[in-house]
Amino acid sequence: VQLQASGGGLVQAGGSLRLSCAASGSIFSINDMAWYRSAPGKQRELVARLTSTFRPNYADSVKGRFTISRDNAKHTVALQMNSLKFEDTAVYYCNADISSPGSEWRYTNYWGNGTQVTVSS
C-alpha cells in the first residue's frame, strides 16, 4: 500500500492551494484519512482528519480556511487550503488507516510522501 501526495507549491499570502493524496495497492477498506504538516523547528501536527463517515476534525489554526474531503471509491483525500498565511508554510503529509484483503479488520497506519507548501508574505 502506498500514499502519493501532490499539489504543493509556492503561493502568496491570501492565496489558495489544493493538495491531493491517492492510496494504491492492496486495499480493502480505509478508515480515517488525514493531513499533517511539519514546519522547521516544530513538531509534526495534525491539520485535518476525516473519518470514513465524513466527520471532519480541524486544527484550530486552520478552521474556516481549510477543507478536507475524500472519495471513498477512488481512495483519495484532498485538502483545499484558502486564505493561506505565512505560518502555513510546511511540508504536508497525508496519512490513512488502511486494511488489506485477508486482514479486513486489521488497520495499518500509512504515511504518504511529503509535499512542500510555501506561503510568501
Side-chain angles (χ1 to χ4, degrees):
V1 175
Q2 290 185 327
L3 294 175
Q4 181 68 44
S6 62
L10 173 64
V11 64
Q12 287 188 332
S16 298
L17 279 176
R18 182 177 178 84
L19 305 182
S20 298
C21 178
S24 61
S26 183
I27 298 171
F28 175 80
S29 176
I30 302 179
N31 199 355
D32 290 1
M33 302 187 83
W35 288 93
Y36 288 75
R37 65 187 181 187
S38 293
K42 296 184 178 181
Q43 286 189 325
R44 184 174 297 188
E45 64 173 350
L46 174 68
V47 176
R49 182 190 305 276
L50 190 61
T51 70
S52 58
T53 56
F54 301 96
R55 288 186 300 167
N57 181 39
Y58 295 97
D60 288 343
S61 59
V62 308
K63 283 181 180 177
R65 300 188 297 121
F66 290 11
T67 301
I68 188 170
S69 60
R70 64 189 283 172
D71 186 325
N72 287 341
K74 296 181 178 179
H75 299 156
T76 59
V77 61
L79 185 68
Q80 178 65 42
M81 305 184 294
N82 299 329
S83 302
L84 282 160
K85 303 176 181 179
F86 175 76
E87 49 264 39
D88 294 319
T89 296
V91 178
Y92 285 71
Y93 299 89
C94 56
N95 178 274
D97 295 323
I98 300 173
S99 70
S100 298
S103 54
E104 286 83 0
W105 303 113
R106 179 181 178 183
Y107 288 87
T108 300
N109 188 256
Y110 291 91
W111 290 94
N113 59 302
T115 184
Q116 177 71 46
V117 172
T118 303
V119 184
S120 61
S121 58

PDB file of all heavy atoms in Angstrom, residues 12-51:
ATOM      1  N   GLN A  12       1.331  33.125  -2.765  1.00  0.00           N
ATOM      2  CA  GLN A  12       1.371  34.337  -1.952  1.00  0.00           C
ATOM      3  C   GLN A  12       0.349  34.241  -0.819  1.00  0.00           C
ATOM      4  O   GLN A  12      -0.670  33.546  -0.941  1.00  0.00           O
ATOM      5  CB  GLN A  12       1.067  35.561  -2.803  1.00  0.00           C
ATOM      6  CG  GLN A  12       2.183  35.960  -3.749  1.00  0.00           C
ATOM      7  CD  GLN A  12       1.920  37.275  -4.441  1.00  0.00           C
ATOM      8  OE1 GLN A  12       0.775  37.661  -4.648  1.00  0.00           O
ATOM      9  NE2 GLN A  12       2.984  37.983  -4.805  1.00  0.00           N
ATOM     10  N   ALA A  13       0.617  34.959   0.234  1.00  0.00           N
ATOM     11  CA  ALA A  13      -0.334  35.005   1.347  1.00  0.00           C
ATOM     12  C   ALA A  13      -1.700  35.458   0.843  1.00  0.00           C
ATOM     13  O   ALA A  13      -1.796  36.372   0.019  1.00  0.00           O
ATOM     14  CB  ALA A  13       0.178  35.951   2.425  1.00  0.00           C
ATOM     15  N   GLY A  14      -2.724  34.780   1.331  1.00  0.00           N
ATOM     16  CA  GLY A  14      -4.075  35.057   0.881  1.00  0.00           C
ATOM     17  C   GLY A  14      -4.532  34.177  -0.259  1.00  0.00           C
ATOM     18  O   GLY A  14      -5.725  34.145  -0.588  1.00  0.00           O
ATOM     19  N   GLY A  15      -3.596  33.458  -0.847  1.00  0.00           N
ATOM     20  CA  GLY A  15      -3.909  32.591  -1.966  1.00  0.00           C
ATOM     21  C   GLY A  15      -4.422  31.233  -1.541  1.00  0.00           C
ATOM     22  O   GLY A  15      -4.644  30.975  -0.349  1.00  0.00           O
ATOM     23  N   SER A  16      -4.578  30.359  -2.533  1.00  0.00           N
ATOM     24  CA  SER A  16      -5.142  29.031  -2.296  1.00  0.00           C
ATOM     25  C   SER A  16      -4.292  27.957  -2.953  1.00  0.00           C
ATOM     26  O   SER A  16      -3.626  28.201  -3.965  1.00  0.00           O
ATOM     27  CB  SER A  16      -6.562  28.937  -2.860  1.00  0.00           C
ATOM     28  OG  SER A  16      -7.429  29.861  -2.222  1.00  0.00           O
ATOM     29  N   LEU A  17      -4.344  26.780  -2.358  1.00  0.00           N
ATOM     30  CA  LEU A  17      -3.735  25.582  -2.935  1.00  0.00           C
ATOM     31  C   LEU A  17      -4.633  24.402  -2.606  1.00  0.00           C
ATOM     32  O   LEU A  17      -5.341  24.413  -1.594  1.00  0.00           O
ATOM     33  CB  LEU A  17      -2.343  25.326  -2.356  1.00  0.00           C
ATOM     34  CG  LEU A  17      -1.146  26.091  -2.913  1.00  0.00           C
ATOM     35  CD1 LEU A  17       0.104  25.742  -2.114  1.00  0.00           C
ATOM     36  CD2 LEU A  17      -0.948  25.796  -4.386  1.00  0.00           C
ATOM     37  N   ARG A  18      -4.545  23.393  -3.438  1.00  0.00           N
ATOM     38  CA  ARG A  18      -5.297  22.158  -3.184  1.00  0.00           C
ATOM     39  C   ARG A  18      -4.324  20.989  -3.203  1.00  0.00           C
ATOM     40  O   ARG A  18      -3.633  20.771  -4.201  1.00  0.00           O
ATOM     41  CB  ARG A  18      -6.384  21.949  -4.223  1.00  0.00           C
ATOM     42  CG  ARG A  18      -7.238  20.716  -3.982  1.00  0.00           C
ATOM     43  CD  ARG A  18      -8.347  20.618  -5.023  1.00  0.00           C
ATOM     44  NE  ARG A  18      -9.165  19.441  -4.877  1.00  0.00           N
ATOM     45  CZ  ARG A  18     -10.199  19.341  -4.049  1.00  0.00           C
ATOM     46  NH1 ARG A  18     -10.544  20.387  -3.302  1.00  0.00           N
ATOM     47  NH2 ARG A  18     -10.891  18.221  -3.966  1.00  0.00           N
ATOM     48  N   LEU A  19      -4.270  20.272  -2.119  1.00  0.00           N
ATOM     49  CA  LEU A  19      -3.439  19.078  -2.027  1.00  0.00           C
ATOM     50  C   LEU A  19      -4.300  17.849  -2.280  1.00  0.00           C
ATOM     51  O   LEU A  19      -5.465  17.806  -1.889  1.00  0.00           O
ATOM     52  CB  LEU A  19      -2.802  18.976  -0.647  1.00  0.00           C
ATOM     53  CG  LEU A  19      -1.978  20.175  -0.171  1.00  0.00           C
ATOM     54  CD1 LEU A  19      -1.365  19.876   1.209  1.00  0.00           C
ATOM     55  CD2 LEU A  19      -0.906  20.547  -1.161  1.00  0.00           C
ATOM     56  N   SER A  20      -3.694  16.875  -2.920  1.00  0.00           N
ATOM     57  CA  SER A  20      -4.383  15.608  -3.170  1.00  0.00           C
ATOM     58  C   SER A  20      -3.502  14.457  -2.740  1.00  0.00           C
ATOM     59  O   SER A  20      -2.276  14.558  -2.767  1.00  0.00           O
ATOM     60  CB  SER A  20      -4.715  15.468  -4.658  1.00  0.00           C
ATOM     61  OG  SER A  20      -5.592  16.486  -5.083  1.00  0.00           O
ATOM     62  N   CYS A  21      -4.145  13.367  -2.370  1.00  0.00           N
ATOM     63  CA  CYS A  21      -3.405  12.173  -1.957  1.00  0.00           C
ATOM     64  C   CYS A  21      -4.203  10.958  -2.390  1.00  0.00           C
ATOM     65  O   CYS A  21      -5.407  10.867  -2.122  1.00  0.00           O
ATOM     66  CB  CYS A  21      -3.201  12.173  -0.456  1.00  0.00           C
ATOM     67  SG  CYS A  21      -2.345  10.721   0.191  1.00  0.00           S
ATOM     68  N   ALA A  22      -3.536  10.030  -3.051  1.00  0.00           N
ATOM     69  CA  ALA A  22      -4.194   8.822  -3.525  1.00  0.00           C
ATOM     70  C   ALA A  22      -3.543   7.594  -2.904  1.00  0.00           C
ATOM     71  O   ALA A  22      -2.308   7.477  -2.902  1.00  0.00           O
ATOM     72  CB  ALA A  22      -4.114   8.747  -5.037  1.00  0.00           C
ATOM     73  N   ALA A  23      -4.373   6.712  -2.413  1.00  0.00           N
ATOM     74  CA  ALA A  23      -3.897   5.439  -1.878  1.00  0.00           C
ATOM     75  C   ALA A  23      -3.989   4.386  -2.970  1.00  0.00           C
ATOM     76  O   ALA A  23      -4.961   4.343  -3.725  1.00  0.00           O
ATOM     77  CB  ALA A  23      -4.731   5.024  -0.676  1.00  0.00           C
ATOM     78  N   SER A  24      -2.975   3.538  -3.041  1.00  0.00           N
ATOM     79  CA  SER A  24      -2.971   2.491  -4.048  1.00  0.00           C
ATOM     80  C   SER A  24      -2.383   1.224  -3.444  1.00  0.00           C
ATOM     81  O   SER A  24      -1.721   1.250  -2.413  1.00  0.00           O
ATOM     82  CB  SER A  24      -2.156   2.932  -5.266  1.00  0.00           C
ATOM     83  OG  SER A  24      -0.810   3.183  -4.907  1.00  0.00           O
ATOM     84  N   GLY A  25      -2.621   0.125  -4.135  1.00  0.00           N
ATOM     85  CA  GLY A  25      -2.120  -1.157  -3.654  1.00  0.00           C
ATOM     86  C   GLY A  25      -3.261  -2.067  -3.249  1.00  0.00           C
ATOM     87  O   GLY A  25      -4.384  -1.928  -3.703  1.00  0.00           O
ATOM     88  N   SER A  26      -2.957  -2.982  -2.362  1.00  0.00           N
ATOM     89  CA  SER A  26      -3.922  -3.974  -1.923  1.00  0.00           C
ATOM     90  C   SER A  26      -4.779  -3.388  -0.794  1.00  0.00           C
ATOM     91  O   SER A  26      -4.418  -3.458   0.378  1.00  0.00           O
ATOM     92  CB  SER A  26      -3.198  -5.228  -1.436  1.00  0.00           C
ATOM     93  OG  SER A  26      -4.113  -6.229  -1.077  1.00  0.00           O
ATOM     94  N   ILE A  27      -5.902  -2.797  -1.155  1.00  0.00           N
ATOM     95  CA  ILE A  27      -6.753  -2.082  -0.204  1.00  0.00           C
ATOM     96  C   ILE A  27      -8.109  -2.752  -0.087  1.00  0.00           C
ATOM     97  O   ILE A  27      -8.771  -2.975  -1.103  1.00  0.00           O
ATOM     98  CB  ILE A  27      -6.922  -0.617  -0.637  1.00  0.00           C
ATOM     99  CG1 ILE A  27      -5.563   0.090  -0.652  1.00  0.00           C
ATOM    100  CG2 ILE A  27      -7.893   0.115   0.284  1.00  0.00           C
ATOM    101  CD1 ILE A  27      -5.597   1.477  -1.274  1.00  0.00           C
ATOM    102  N   PHE A  28      -8.505  -3.021   1.150  1.00  0.00           N
ATOM    103  CA  PHE A  28      -9.871  -3.491   1.391  1.00  0.00           C
ATOM    104  C   PHE A  28     -10.742  -2.350   1.889  1.00  0.00           C
ATOM    105  O   PHE A  28     -11.833  -2.137   1.410  1.00  0.00           O
ATOM    106  CB  PHE A  28      -9.886  -4.638   2.401  1.00  0.00           C
ATOM    107  CG  PHE A  28     -11.276  -5.076   2.773  1.00  0.00           C
ATOM    108  CD1 PHE A  28     -11.987  -5.908   1.922  1.00  0.00           C
ATOM    109  CD2 PHE A  28     -11.877  -4.673   3.963  1.00  0.00           C
ATOM    110  CE1 PHE A  28     -13.274  -6.317   2.234  1.00  0.00           C
ATOM    111  CE2 PHE A  28     -13.157  -5.085   4.290  1.00  0.00           C
ATOM    112  CZ  PHE A  28     -13.849  -5.904   3.415  1.00  0.00           C
ATOM    113  N   SER A  29     -10.220  -1.616   2.872  1.00  0.00           N
ATOM    114  CA  SER A  29     -11.007  -0.535   3.469  1.00  0.00           C
ATOM    115  C   SER A  29     -10.083   0.536   4.018  1.00  0.00           C
ATOM    116  O   SER A  29      -8.957   0.249   4.433  1.00  0.00           O
ATOM    117  CB  SER A  29     -11.874  -1.093   4.599  1.00  0.00           C
ATOM    118  OG  SER A  29     -12.580  -0.055   5.264  1.00  0.00           O
ATOM    119  N   ILE A  30     -10.559   1.774   3.993  1.00  0.00           N
ATOM    120  CA  ILE A  30      -9.812   2.886   4.575  1.00  0.00           C
ATOM    121  C   ILE A  30     -10.650   3.521   5.672  1.00  0.00           C
ATOM    122  O   ILE A  30     -11.798   3.897   5.424  1.00  0.00           O
ATOM    123  CB  ILE A  30      -9.419   3.936   3.522  1.00  0.00           C
ATOM    124  CG1 ILE A  30      -8.584   3.298   2.423  1.00  0.00           C
ATOM    125  CG2 ILE A  30      -8.634   5.070   4.185  1.00  0.00           C
ATOM    126  CD1 ILE A  30      -8.169   4.255   1.316  1.00  0.00           C
ATOM    127  N   ASN A  31     -10.071   3.655   6.840  1.00  0.00           N
ATOM    128  CA  ASN A  31     -10.780   4.267   7.949  1.00  0.00           C
ATOM    129  C   ASN A  31     -10.498   5.781   7.926  1.00  0.00           C
ATOM    130  O   ASN A  31     -10.856   6.450   6.967  1.00  0.00           O
ATOM    131  CB  ASN A  31     -10.357   3.606   9.255  1.00  0.00           C
ATOM    132  CG  ASN A  31     -11.368   3.852  10.369  1.00  0.00           C
ATOM    133  OD1 ASN A  31     -12.339   4.589  10.191  1.00  0.00           O
ATOM    134  ND2 ASN A  31     -11.145   3.249  11.509  1.00  0.00           N
ATOM    135  N   ASP A  32      -9.866   6.309   8.934  1.00  0.00           N
ATOM    136  CA  ASP A  32      -9.570   7.740   8.948  1.00  0.00           C
ATOM    137  C   ASP A  32      -8.523   8.093   7.901  1.00  0.00           C
ATOM    138  O   ASP A  32      -7.585   7.340   7.672  1.00  0.00           O
ATOM    139  CB  ASP A  32      -9.041   8.179  10.320  1.00  0.00           C
ATOM    140  CG  ASP A  32     -10.108   8.142  11.397  1.00  0.00           C
ATOM    141  OD1 ASP A  32     -11.248   7.760  11.094  1.00  0.00           O
ATOM    142  OD2 ASP A  32      -9.780   8.496  12.551  1.00  0.00           O
ATOM    143  N   MET A  33      -8.714   9.270   7.272  1.00  0.00           N
ATOM    144  CA  MET A  33      -7.703   9.852   6.395  1.00  0.00           C
ATOM    145  C   MET A  33      -7.402  11.245   6.933  1.00  0.00           C
ATOM    146  O   MET A  33      -8.309  11.928   7.427  1.00  0.00           O
ATOM    147  CB  MET A  33      -8.182   9.927   4.945  1.00  0.00           C
ATOM    148  CG  MET A  33      -8.582   8.581   4.369  1.00  0.00           C
ATOM    149  SD  MET A  33      -8.951   8.625   2.610  1.00  0.00           S
ATOM    150  CE  MET A  33      -7.285   8.489   1.919  1.00  0.00           C
ATOM    151  N   ALA A  34      -6.158  11.657   6.829  1.00  0.00           N
ATOM    152  CA  ALA A  34      -5.778  12.908   7.476  1.00  0.00           C
ATOM    153  C   ALA A  34      -4.619  13.580   6.755  1.00  0.00           C
ATOM    154  O   ALA A  34      -3.932  12.970   5.933  1.00  0.00           O
ATOM    155  CB  ALA A  34      -5.392  12.653   8.933  1.00  0.00           C
ATOM    156  N   TRP A  35      -4.441  14.842   7.098  1.00  0.00           N
ATOM    157  CA  TRP A  35      -3.281  15.609   6.659  1.00  0.00           C
ATOM    158  C   TRP A  35      -2.551  16.132   7.894  1.00  0.00           C
ATOM    159  O   TRP A  35      -3.172  16.646   8.829  1.00  0.00           O
ATOM    160  CB  TRP A  35      -3.698  16.792   5.786  1.00  0.00           C
ATOM    161  CG  TRP A  35      -4.179  16.390   4.435  1.00  0.00           C
ATOM    162  CD1 TRP A  35      -5.463  16.153   4.062  1.00  0.00           C
ATOM    163  CD2 TRP A  35      -3.373  16.166   3.282  1.00  0.00           C
ATOM    164  NE1 TRP A  35      -5.507  15.793   2.741  1.00  0.00           N
ATOM    165  CE2 TRP A  35      -4.231  15.791   2.233  1.00  0.00           C
ATOM    166  CE3 TRP A  35      -1.999  16.246   3.020  1.00  0.00           C
ATOM    167  CZ2 TRP A  35      -3.779  15.502   0.950  1.00  0.00           C
ATOM    168  CZ3 TRP A  35      -1.545  15.958   1.755  1.00  0.00           C
ATOM    169  CH2 TRP A  35      -2.428  15.591   0.730  1.00  0.00           C
ATOM    170  N   TYR A  36      -1.243  15.987   7.873  1.00  0.00           N
ATOM    171  CA  TYR A  36      -0.369  16.534   8.901  1.00  0.00           C
ATOM    172  C   TYR A  36       0.613  17.490   8.222  1.00  0.00           C
ATOM    173  O   TYR A  36       0.750  17.493   7.002  1.00  0.00           O
ATOM    174  CB  TYR A  36       0.430  15.425   9.595  1.00  0.00           C
ATOM    175  CG  TYR A  36      -0.356  14.545  10.521  1.00  0.00           C
ATOM    176  CD1 TYR A  36      -1.220  13.566  10.036  1.00  0.00           C
ATOM    177  CD2 TYR A  36      -0.243  14.673  11.911  1.00  0.00           C
ATOM    178  CE1 TYR A  36      -1.949  12.755  10.895  1.00  0.00           C
ATOM    179  CE2 TYR A  36      -0.953  13.865  12.781  1.00  0.00           C
ATOM    180  CZ  TYR A  36      -1.802  12.904  12.258  1.00  0.00           C
ATOM    181  OH  TYR A  36      -2.513  12.094  13.120  1.00  0.00           O
ATOM    182  N   ARG A  37       1.289  18.269   9.044  1.00  0.00           N
ATOM    183  CA  ARG A  37       2.329  19.132   8.487  1.00  0.00           C
ATOM    184  C   ARG A  37       3.496  19.268   9.453  1.00  0.00           C
ATOM    185  O   ARG A  37       3.310  19.174  10.678  1.00  0.00           O
ATOM    186  CB  ARG A  37       1.784  20.510   8.127  1.00  0.00           C
ATOM    187  CG  ARG A  37       1.310  21.348   9.296  1.00  0.00           C
ATOM    188  CD  ARG A  37       0.632  22.633   8.774  1.00  0.00           C
ATOM    189  NE  ARG A  37       0.174  23.486   9.878  1.00  0.00           N
ATOM    190  CZ  ARG A  37      -0.557  24.584   9.692  1.00  0.00           C
ATOM    191  NH1 ARG A  37      -0.926  24.957   8.469  1.00  0.00           N
ATOM    192  NH2 ARG A  37      -0.936  25.307  10.735  1.00  0.00           N
ATOM    193  N   SER A  38       4.662  19.480   8.871  1.00  0.00           N
ATOM    194  CA  SER A  38       5.883  19.698   9.639  1.00  0.00           C
ATOM    195  C   SER A  38       6.534  20.973   9.166  1.00  0.00           C
ATOM    196  O   SER A  38       6.863  21.104   7.973  1.00  0.00           O
ATOM    197  CB  SER A  38       6.857  18.525   9.444  1.00  0.00           C
ATOM    198  OG  SER A  38       6.364  17.332   9.997  1.00  0.00           O
ATOM    199  N   ALA A  39       6.717  21.891  10.085  1.00  0.00           N
ATOM    200  CA  ALA A  39       7.406  23.139   9.789  1.00  0.00           C
ATOM    201  C   ALA A  39       8.776  23.106  10.471  1.00  0.00           C
ATOM    202  O   ALA A  39       8.938  22.432  11.489  1.00  0.00           O
ATOM    203  CB  ALA A  39       6.595  24.327  10.273  1.00  0.00           C
ATOM    204  N   PRO A  40       9.737  23.828   9.921  1.00  0.00           N
ATOM    205  CA  PRO A  40      11.078  23.833  10.530  1.00  0.00           C
ATOM    206  C   PRO A  40      11.028  24.233  11.997  1.00  0.00           C
ATOM    207  O   PRO A  40      10.406  25.236  12.360  1.00  0.00           O
ATOM    208  CB  PRO A  40      11.824  24.874   9.701  1.00  0.00           C
ATOM    209  CG  PRO A  40      11.145  24.868   8.386  1.00  0.00           C
ATOM    210  CD  PRO A  40       9.692  24.630   8.704  1.00  0.00           C
ATOM    211  N   GLY A  41      11.657  23.418  12.831  1.00  0.00           N
ATOM    212  CA  GLY A  41      11.705  23.735  14.249  1.00  0.00           C
ATOM    213  C   GLY A  41      10.450  23.403  15.021  1.00  0.00           C
ATOM    214  O   GLY A  41      10.363  23.688  16.217  1.00  0.00           O
ATOM    215  N   LYS A  42       9.481  22.798  14.367  1.00  0.00           N
ATOM    216  CA  LYS A  42       8.225  22.468  15.035  1.00  0.00           C
ATOM    217  C   LYS A  42       7.923  20.986  14.906  1.00  0.00           C
ATOM    218  O   LYS A  42       8.363  20.334  13.964  1.00  0.00           O
ATOM    219  CB  LYS A  42       7.072  23.275  14.449  1.00  0.00           C
ATOM    220  CG  LYS A  42       7.178  24.773  14.663  1.00  0.00           C
ATOM    221  CD  LYS A  42       5.941  25.479  14.122  1.00  0.00           C
ATOM    222  CE  LYS A  42       6.005  26.971  14.361  1.00  0.00           C
ATOM    223  NZ  LYS A  42       4.784  27.657  13.840  1.00  0.00           N
ATOM    224  N   GLN A  43       7.137  20.481  15.832  1.00  0.00           N
ATOM    225  CA  GLN A  43       6.716  19.087  15.748  1.00  0.00           C
ATOM    226  C   GLN A  43       5.655  18.931  14.668  1.00  0.00           C
ATOM    227  O   GLN A  43       4.923  19.865  14.336  1.00  0.00           O
ATOM    228  CB  GLN A  43       6.131  18.642  17.101  1.00  0.00           C
ATOM    229  CG  GLN A  43       7.165  18.422  18.183  1.00  0.00           C
ATOM    230  CD  GLN A  43       6.562  17.788  19.423  1.00  0.00           C
ATOM    231  OE1 GLN A  43       5.416  18.054  19.780  1.00  0.00           O
ATOM    232  NE2 GLN A  43       7.324  16.951  20.098  1.00  0.00           N
ATOM    233  N   ARG A  44       5.589  17.719  14.130  1.00  0.00           N
ATOM    234  CA  ARG A  44       4.548  17.431  13.167  1.00  0.00           C
ATOM    235  C   ARG A  44       3.195  17.573  13.859  1.00  0.00           C
ATOM    236  O   ARG A  44       3.016  17.089  14.979  1.00  0.00           O
ATOM    237  CB  ARG A  44       4.708  16.026  12.607  1.00  0.00           C
ATOM    238  CG  ARG A  44       3.720  15.668  11.510  1.00  0.00           C
ATOM    239  CD  ARG A  44       4.021  14.319  10.897  1.00  0.00           C
ATOM    240  NE  ARG A  44       5.324  14.309  10.233  1.00  0.00           N
ATOM    241  CZ  ARG A  44       5.755  13.291   9.479  1.00  0.00           C
ATOM    242  NH1 ARG A  44       4.989  12.233   9.307  1.00  0.00           N
ATOM    243  NH2 ARG A  44       6.943  13.351   8.922  1.00  0.00           N
ATOM    244  N   GLU A  45       2.269  18.238  13.183  1.00  0.00           N
ATOM    245  CA  GLU A  45       0.968  18.463  13.787  1.00  0.00           C
ATOM    246  C   GLU A  45      -0.157  18.033  12.847  1.00  0.00           C
ATOM    247  O   GLU A  45      -0.017  18.078  11.620  1.00  0.00           O
ATOM    248  CB  GLU A  45       0.784  19.950  14.135  1.00  0.00           C
ATOM    249  CG  GLU A  45       0.780  20.895  12.958  1.00  0.00           C
ATOM    250  CD  GLU A  45       0.420  22.312  13.336  1.00  0.00           C
ATOM    251  OE1 GLU A  45      -0.009  22.560  14.475  1.00  0.00           O
ATOM    252  OE2 GLU A  45       0.554  23.197  12.459  1.00  0.00           O
ATOM    253  N   LEU A  46      -1.259  17.655  13.463  1.00  0.00           N
ATOM    254  CA  LEU A  46      -2.445  17.301  12.706  1.00  0.00           C
ATOM    255  C   LEU A  46      -3.081  18.570  12.155  1.00  0.00           C
ATOM    256  O   LEU A  46      -3.312  19.527  12.898  1.00  0.00           O
ATOM    257  CB  LEU A  46      -3.441  16.564  13.590  1.00  0.00           C
ATOM    258  CG  LEU A  46      -4.798  16.246  12.956  1.00  0.00           C
ATOM    259  CD1 LEU A  46      -4.655  15.224  11.852  1.00  0.00           C
ATOM    260  CD2 LEU A  46      -5.774  15.749  14.033  1.00  0.00           C
ATOM    261  N   VAL A  47      -3.370  18.561  10.856  1.00  0.00           N
ATOM    262  CA  VAL A  47      -4.043  19.692  10.225  1.00  0.00           C
ATOM    263  C   VAL A  47      -5.537  19.416  10.129  1.00  0.00           C
ATOM    264  O   VAL A  47      -6.361  20.232  10.539  1.00  0.00           O
ATOM    265  CB  VAL A  47      -3.471  19.960   8.823  1.00  0.00           C
ATOM    266  CG1 VAL A  47      -4.241  21.085   8.137  1.00  0.00           C
ATOM    267  CG2 VAL A  47      -1.986  20.284   8.902  1.00  0.00           C
ATOM    268  N   ALA A  48      -5.878  18.250   9.595  1.00  0.00           N
ATOM    269  CA  ALA A  48      -7.289  17.889   9.441  1.00  0.00           C
ATOM    270  C   ALA A  48      -7.410  16.388   9.324  1.00  0.00           C
ATOM    271  O   ALA A  48      -6.502  15.729   8.797  1.00  0.00           O
ATOM    272  CB  ALA A  48      -7.891  18.564   8.208  1.00  0.00           C
ATOM    273  N   ARG A  49      -8.525  15.871   9.825  1.00  0.00           N
ATOM    274  CA  ARG A  49      -8.799  14.443   9.752  1.00  0.00           C
ATOM    275  C   ARG A  49     -10.240  14.252   9.323  1.00  0.00           C
ATOM    276  O   ARG A  49     -11.114  15.063   9.677  1.00  0.00           O
ATOM    277  CB  ARG A  49      -8.586  13.804  11.131  1.00  0.00           C
ATOM    278  CG  ARG A  49      -8.801  12.300  11.153  1.00  0.00           C
ATOM    279  CD  ARG A  49      -8.806  11.764  12.595  1.00  0.00           C
ATOM    280  NE  ARG A  49      -7.595  12.126  13.311  1.00  0.00           N
ATOM    281  CZ  ARG A  49      -6.474  11.462  13.249  1.00  0.00           C
ATOM    282  NH1 ARG A  49      -6.389  10.395  12.486  1.00  0.00           N
ATOM    283  NH2 ARG A  49      -5.417  11.858  13.933  1.00  0.00           N
ATOM    284  N   LEU A  50     -10.484  13.206   8.556  1.00  0.00           N
ATOM    285  CA  LEU A  50     -11.836  12.909   8.092  1.00  0.00           C
ATOM    286  C   LEU A  50     -12.095  11.422   8.250  1.00  0.00           C
ATOM    287  O   LEU A  50     -11.339  10.595   7.724  1.00  0.00           O
ATOM    288  CB  LEU A  50     -11.993  13.335   6.628  1.00  0.00           C
ATOM    289  CG  LEU A  50     -13.402  13.320   6.045  1.00  0.00           C
ATOM    290  CD1 LEU A  50     -14.314  14.286   6.807  1.00  0.00           C
ATOM    291  CD2 LEU A  50     -13.360  13.725   4.575  1.00  0.00           C
ATOM    292  N   THR A  51     -13.148  11.089   8.971  1.00  0.00           N
ATOM    293  CA  THR A  51     -13.472   9.676   9.172  1.00  0.00           C
ATOM    294  C   THR A  51     -14.100   9.096   7.913  1.00  0.00           C
ATOM    295  O   THR A  51     -14.466   9.807   6.982  1.00  0.00           O
ATOM    296  CB  THR A  51     -14.439   9.498  10.352  1.00  0.00           C
ATOM    297  OG1 THR A  51     -15.714  10.023   9.971  1.00  0.00           O
ATOM    298  CG2 THR A  51     -13.940  10.225  11.596  1.00  0.00           C
TER     299      THR A  51
END
